[in-house]
Amino acid sequence: MSETASPAGKTPRAPGGPDANRWKALVFIALAQLMVVLDATIVNIALPSAQQDLGISDGNRQWVVTAYALAFGGLLLFGGRIADLWGRKRAFVLGLGGFAAASALGGAATNEAMMFGARALQGVFGALLAPAALSLLAVMFTDGKERAKAFGIYGAIAGGGGAVGLILGGFLTEYLDWRWTFFVNIPFAVVAAAGAYLVIREPGGGRNRSPLDVPGVVLSTVGLVALVYGFTRAESEGWSDSLTIGMFVASAVLLAAFVAVETRVKAPLLPLRVVTERNRGGVYLSLGLAVIAMFGLFLFLTYYLQVVKGYSPVRTGFAFLPMIAGMITGSTQIGTRLMTRVAPRLLMGPGFLVAALGMLFLTRMEIDTSYAGVLLPGMLLLGLGMGTAFMPAMSLATLGVEPRDSGVASAMVNTSQQVGGAIGTALLNTIAASATTTYVADHIGGATSRSQQQLVQLQGQVQGYTSAIWFAVGILVAAAAIALTLINAGRPGGTAVAGSADETVGDEMAVPVAMH
């Protein structure tokens, strides 16, 4: 489809409306997003097998997860800025190619150094790919109802993909080999890259060709790496460890310096207008808090089902299906249908509260808890609430952003999730471990036989999980309060198309009109 030349100040678009290939493009963007989200959890299931094969010590095994998190979380803002500079389609395809190559390296790893390097490389290319994918959606879907549907699909994948990774990881590890948890990314990446190359037509006029803010890149990357590493180290070494404390102090200093630099440079890496806008700031903060609660829960439920209940990896994966079903329903049915009718905060706030209610169910877990009576309704409500809240959050985070800033705005969504995930895993795991230690110390004296001692140990683990889940309930309630108070955008206008300067848009939240 050929594009017409556009008048000054308007985005070029195909005759008669938006690009006809946008829904085909969505398929390949969603496939790439699924691959990135899957990778975050699929490797966890395979970790014990990979550790044994490669001779990785217990002290070093965390680096299989940490190397990815550090590179991904630290480079996201840089990746978003590169997407704005080079063009989102080019960054998207390059990110997919690099991610596939890094996955092949990980699957072929023969020692721990090769594995850690492959995971770090996956994080580097993931940091380029993730913001490019979200910003492509932001600039391609500009009609209110279509945007709601597209972000509903994207939100369902972003929310449910992690649980799907547990199922797929269980199958691949149990029936094939742990190496396939890496190799499986290659066909995903090849299909998504080929499809994107053929069908994506990025609207013109949205590139940010300003010179790269090198001080901003260095300060933000090192500051975020220090923050993520501080939390991952706290999980293994404790909060009072001198290096842990040093990382937090260094992170605070570096990120404060980053903000100071961004207010002074001519072409900032992160224009502060992106995060200081009330609605976007509310989305980044509430989404980050919700992910803290979510990631910690994935970890606890996986251990509870496998260690306490004795489930196999495959059965554990299938046990998460109600959560996936809830997320897909909340995102594609509830969120999509209501997004053009009600204000985003009226979906996000109640969504987080429904998720908190699901978490409350899970605080009732005991050793002999019935799956159908407690876990099933808890996970269903959790998925339903998160799916409903995620969808408007993903859309609102890039709505109203100037096209030249859409990559970095998208990167901030991923940054809040990635940093939230690292914080959640470390923080909630520390709370759980502390509660378990206290419970076992108080009750082990009365256990006279070996079987009674083992029972106390298992009861202590469950006590730790439920204590941490209570904390997660509070975090979700805080996320709901932030969404309801900070986010004040009205419902989006129904049928506006970017580039139409004279359309009417609803309330305070307008469908973005392309600006130079």
Side-chain angles (χ1 to χ4, degrees):
M1 223 176 152
S2 64
E3 292 184 335
T4 57
S6 66
K10 296 188 179 180
T11 301
R13 57 176 178 172
D19 190 340
N21 282 332
R22 64 195 180 283
W23 290 107
K24 291 179 188 174
L26 175 63
V27 172
F28 300 112
I29 293 169
L31 189 64
Q33 172 66 10
L34 179 62
M35 181 189 72
V36 172
V37 176
L38 281 178
D39 197 73
T41 54
I42 197 171
V43 173
N44 290 346
I45 293 282
L47 187 53
S49 304
Q51 180 185 356
Q52 190 175 356
D53 269 13
L54 300 177
I56 301 172
S57 68
D58 284 349
N60 284 343
R61 68 182 174 190
Q62 66 156 332
W63 284 100
V64 176
V65 176
T66 305
Y68 179 84
L70 287 175
F72 192 78
L75 291 170
L76 269 165
L77 284 175
F78 182 47
R81 179 66 179 84
I82 290 294
D84 286 337
L85 182 66
W86 289 353
R88 288 137 204 125
K89 176 178 174 176
R90 185 180 297 170
F92 183 71
V93 173
L94 180 64
L96 281 166
F99 201 92
S103 298
L105 189 66
T110 54
N111 54 53
E112 64 177 33
M114 194 170 167
M115 168 63 77
F116 300 156
R119 288 291 283 162
L121 267 180
Q122 279 186 314
V124 169
F125 286 104
L128 181 62
L129 172 61
L134 188 56
S135 58
L136 276 171
L137 279 192
V139 298
M140 291 179 78
F141 289 91
T142 50
D143 172 86
K145 289 183 179 175
E146 285 194 349
R147 185 183 177 92
K149 193 178 291 184
F151 275 92
I153 294 166
Y154 187 89
I157 289 168
V164 175
L166 295 170
I167 297 175
L168 191 56
F171 263 107
L172 294 172
T173 304
E174 202 163 315
Y175 297 116
L176 289 172
D177 185 79
W178 66 265
R179 294 180 185 278
W180 282 97
T181 59
F182 286 90
F183 291 145
V184 74
N185 290 331
I186 298 170
F188 274 102
V190 169
V191 171
Y197 183 77
L198 293 172
V199 306
I200 289 179
R201 300 285 179 271
E202 186 181 347
R207 289 213 196 164
N208 185 344
R209 300 184 187 277
S210 306
L212 199 58
D213 169 20
V214 176
V217 169
V218 173
L219 288 168
S220 68
T221 301
V222 180
L224 286 172
V225 164
L227 181 65
V228 173
Y229 180 62
F231 274 103
T232 53
R233 186 174 174 84
E235 185 182 357
S236 58
E237 303 298 325
W239 296 93
S240 58
D241 175 70
S242 57
L243 186 55
T244 302
I245 295 167
M247 283 294 152
F248 287 133
V249 172
S251 173
V253 171
L254 288 163
L255 293 177
F258 170 68
V259 172
V261 166
E262 298 309 273
T263 61
R264 289 171 171 79
V265 295
K266 190 175 180 182
L269 172 69
L270 175 62
L272 295 183
R273 61 180 175 269
V274 171
V275 290
T276 53
E277 196 276 321
R278 176 175 179 159
N279 292 288
R280 279 193 292 277
V283 166
Y284 299 143
L285 190 55
S286 61
L287 204 56
L289 284 172
V291 171
I292 287 175
M294 193 79 177
F295 267 63
L297 185 77
F298 271 145
L299 182 74
F300 299 141
L301 282 182
T302 302
Y303 274 96
Y304 173 76
L305 292 169
Q306 289 195 38
V307 177
V308 179
K309 304 291 279 184
Y311 283 24
S312 70
V314 171
R315 192 179 174 194
T316 300
F318 275 107
F320 279 94
L321 275 177
M323 192 184 295
I324 300 169
M327 282 179 176
I328 291 171
T329 303
S331 191
T332 61
Q333 299 304 311
I334 300 171
T336 300
R337 291 172 189 274
L338 294 180
M339 188 179 156
T340 54
R341 297 175 188 169
V342 300
R345 67 192 177 95
L346 299 180
L347 287 173
M348 289 179 65
F352 290 139
L353 290 175
V354 169
L357 184 61
M359 288 271 198
L360 270 179
F361 263 90
L362 298 174
T363 59
R364 296 166 55 205
M365 284 194 314
E366 294 175 359
I367 286 181
D368 56 352
T369 292
S370 153
Y371 176 83
V374 173
L375 298 182
L376 177 65
M379 286 199 279
L380 198 57
L381 284 170
L382 183 65
L384 204 60
M386 285 295 200
T388 302
F390 265 49
M391 199 280 298
M394 291 288 182
S395 180
L396 188 58
T398 54
L399 198 55
V401 177
E402 296 181 28
R404 66 197 172 107
D405 292 335
S406 66
V408 78
S410 301
M412 275 302 299
V413 179
N414 288 287
T415 301
S416 66
Q417 287 181 294
Q418 193 65 26
V419 173
I423 291 171
T425 304
L427 179 64
L428 296 183
N429 207 38
T430 304
I431 292 166
S434 175
T436 296
T437 302
T438 303
Y439 182 91
V440 171
D442 290 346
H443 294 81
I444 200 73
T448 53
S449 67
R450 183 173 175 79
S451 61
Q452 286 177 330
Q453 289 172 352
Q454 288 176 336
L455 182 64
V456 168
Q457 292 285 353
L458 286 177
Q459 287 171 335
Q461 283 187 38
V462 176
Q463 178 69 28
Y465 300 155
T466 53
S467 298
I469 292 170
W470 270 111
F471 201 86
V473 170
I475 292 173
L476 281 174
V477 171
I482 288 166
L484 288 167
T485 53
L486 276 187
I487 297 170
N488 64 356
R491 65 181 181 83
T495 56
V497 177
S500 304
D502 55 354
E503 69 248 357
T504 304
V505 289
D507 301 323
E508 297 162 76
M509 184 162 113
V511 175
V513 177
M515 293 176 287
H516 293 288

